[in-house]
Amino acid sequence: MCIIRKTAHEFSYGFPMHCNGIEYKNMKLREIQDILDASLIIGEAHLDREVHTCGASDLMSDILARLAEDCVFLTGLTTVHAVRTAAISGVGAVVFVRNKIPPEDVIAMAKEEEIPLFTSPYSMFVSCGRLHAKGLTGLNGDR
Amino acid sequence: MPDILFEKSFQINKKDFVHAGEASISAKNLLKSLQMDAGMIRRASICAYEGEMNVVMHGGEGHLALAIEKNRIILEISDNGPGIADTEMAMKKGFSTASDKFRELGFGAGMGLPNMKKNADEFELSSRLGEGTRVRMAFFTDAAV
Ligand SMILES: Nc1ncnc2c1ncn2[C@@H]1O[C@H](COP(=O)(O)OP(=O)(O)OP(=O)(O)O)[C@@H](O)[C@H]1O
Ligand SMILES: [Mg+2]
């Protein structure tokens, strides 16, 4: 039997707060939709929801291992796990890049979890560039 | 011993990738309905999900068990799969034995166990080859620390 225990000095109580002197630009989902020329797939009722940061990845651990709460999550993966990962991490909205549209069951799950889904014609690179240009920061507040 | 307010166990089905994560979503919704501390719910949900995905990707038949106390959540994820040959190695960031299939689906970065350790206030991984794996974690309310 092999056991690993966390030692006292490794304890971390919660996440660091966003407080490193950076002005965080909050953005409404309808602004993001506009900036990305995106179409809404589902989530009409939440267009006034605000997001604070942006995370872009096709790797689920990039979202899970970072402070993704209330972010907009850009991805090229339209799997059920992209949306489950978003739900678990508390992301504010998911944007699928390059006109990708997820299957029906994925849309149904997003509806249930109240996560708005968008699809943007732009690539991941261009989508990120457009949001960055309008002042959005990365998940850790970097610009 | 603090009083346990609530205990709940969810089944995790072997190799059922399509439904993998559902137990964690149910656990998260349960914690929310009990109006537990939001920060604690977030950390526990992420750990539950990482653990559940591990059971489905690498483990066997498994369970996700929650014991909820007033200011504390105990989360245990166990399975009867192949076990982990080298737990020290498995804990290293970037170590993964995930297949290409899982990598294409956005998993297998070798970040799950380190992330669980980071988010939990107490973390214990135990495994025996051929018998299975168990991760036991505890979370305290952000207010309590
Ligand atoms: N329940 C388990 N049963 C058997 N092996 C496991 C189990 N959990 C983890 N492992 C082993 O430990 C390794 C590291 O796990 P970890 O969660 O850190 O990364 P991963 O699952 O491979 O990738 P990621 O979590 O980033 O998607 C796994 O690749 C696997 O070899
Ligand atoms: Mg994992």
Side-chain angles (χ1 to χ4, degrees):
Chain A
M1 178 74 89
C2 173
I3 295 184
I4 292 174
R5 266 180 232 277
K6 195 164 169 178
T7 53
H9 73 274
E10 291 173 294
F11 277 33
S12 66
Y13 295 116
F15 289 101
M17 297 300 292
H18 281 188
C19 60
N20 40 355
I22 297 167
E23 274 273 341
Y24 287 88
K25 167 97 176 133
N26 296 339
M27 246 181 226
K28 285 198 171 155
L29 294 184
R30 58 175 81 250
E31 287 176 72
I32 287 177
Q33 179 177 14
D34 204 41
I35 294 165
L36 296 179
D37 291 329
S39 315
L40 180 70
I41 300 170
I42 194 143
E44 180 86 59
H46 304 293
L47 284 175
D48 284 318
R49 181 183 286 179
E50 286 197 334
V51 296
H52 312 308
T53 55
C54 178
S57 186
D58 290 345
L59 203 55
M60 296 306 124
S61 59
D62 278 348
I63 298 300
L64 290 166
R66 301 173 65 206
L67 193 66
E69 193 155 54
D70 298 326
C71 79
V72 54
F73 171 30
L74 270 55
T75 184
L77 270 189
T78 54
T79 61
V80 81
H81 294 98
V83 172
R84 258 187 217 131
T85 299
I88 284 288
S89 309
V91 317
V94 180
V95 179
F96 301 106
V97 296
R98 278 197 186 282
N99 280 326
K100 286 178 186 148
I101 296 191
E104 277 304 321
D105 56 328
V106 177
I107 298 173
M109 181 186 304
K111 186 175 181 191
E112 196 172 321
E113 296 296 327
E114 301 188 349
I115 300 176
L117 304 179
F118 296 90
T119 184
S120 164
Y122 302 114
S123 67
M124 184 78 107
F125 174 75
V126 172
S127 303
C128 291
R130 285 180 159 242
L131 292 176
H132 185 271
K134 296 285 184 183
L136 216 51
T137 68
L139 293 180
N140 63 359
D142 281 353
R143 278 285 302 159
Chain B
M1 274 299 275
D3 287 341
I4 291 180
L5 298 178
F6 209 93
E7 271 182 306
K8 179 91 184 165
S9 175
F10 301 89
Q11 171 106 23
I12 305 173
N13 295 322
K14 190 175 176 175
K15 308 279 177 219
D16 186 359
F17 193 70
V18 176
H19 295 104
E22 280 180 358
S24 305
I25 301 255
S26 304
K28 182 181 186 178
N29 291 337
L30 171 66
L31 294 172
K32 269 191 180 166
S33 72
L34 294 172
Q35 299 185 318
M36 307 289 292
D37 176 272
M40 180 169 65
I41 294 180
R42 183 182 55 215
R43 295 186 292 122
S45 306
I46 287 175
C47 290
Y49 185 70
E50 294 273 22
E52 183 178 359
M53 293 311 299
N54 277 357
V55 169
V56 174
M57 287 195 291
H58 318 293
E61 214 62 56
H63 282 95
L64 187 162
L66 279 175
I68 301 162
E69 297 162 6
K70 190 163 167 286
N71 290 313
R72 191 166 79 145
I73 300 169
I74 312 289
L75 171 64
E76 196 177 287
I77 297 156
S78 52
D79 70 80
N80 64 2
I84 300 176
D86 184 343
T87 43
E88 298 271 355
M89 190 67 116
M91 287 306 301
K92 289 211 165 81
K93 277 187 186 169
F95 176 85
S96 175
T97 59
S99 63
D100 287 348
K101 178 190 143 202
F102 292 129
R103 287 171 200 266
E104 275 163 29
L105 292 164
F107 293 90
M111 292 298 289
L113 287 170
N115 193 29
M116 289 154 86
K117 185 174 160 188
K118 183 182 86 182
N119 280 301
D121 294 311
E122 286 175 12
F123 175 90
E124 188 182 291
L125 166 67
S126 50
S127 186
R128 208 197 285 263
L129 265 191
E131 288 184 18
T133 302
R134 188 190 71 161
V135 185
R136 186 190 171 282
M137 289 163 283
F139 305 85
F140 309 121
T141 53
D142 289 357
V145 290

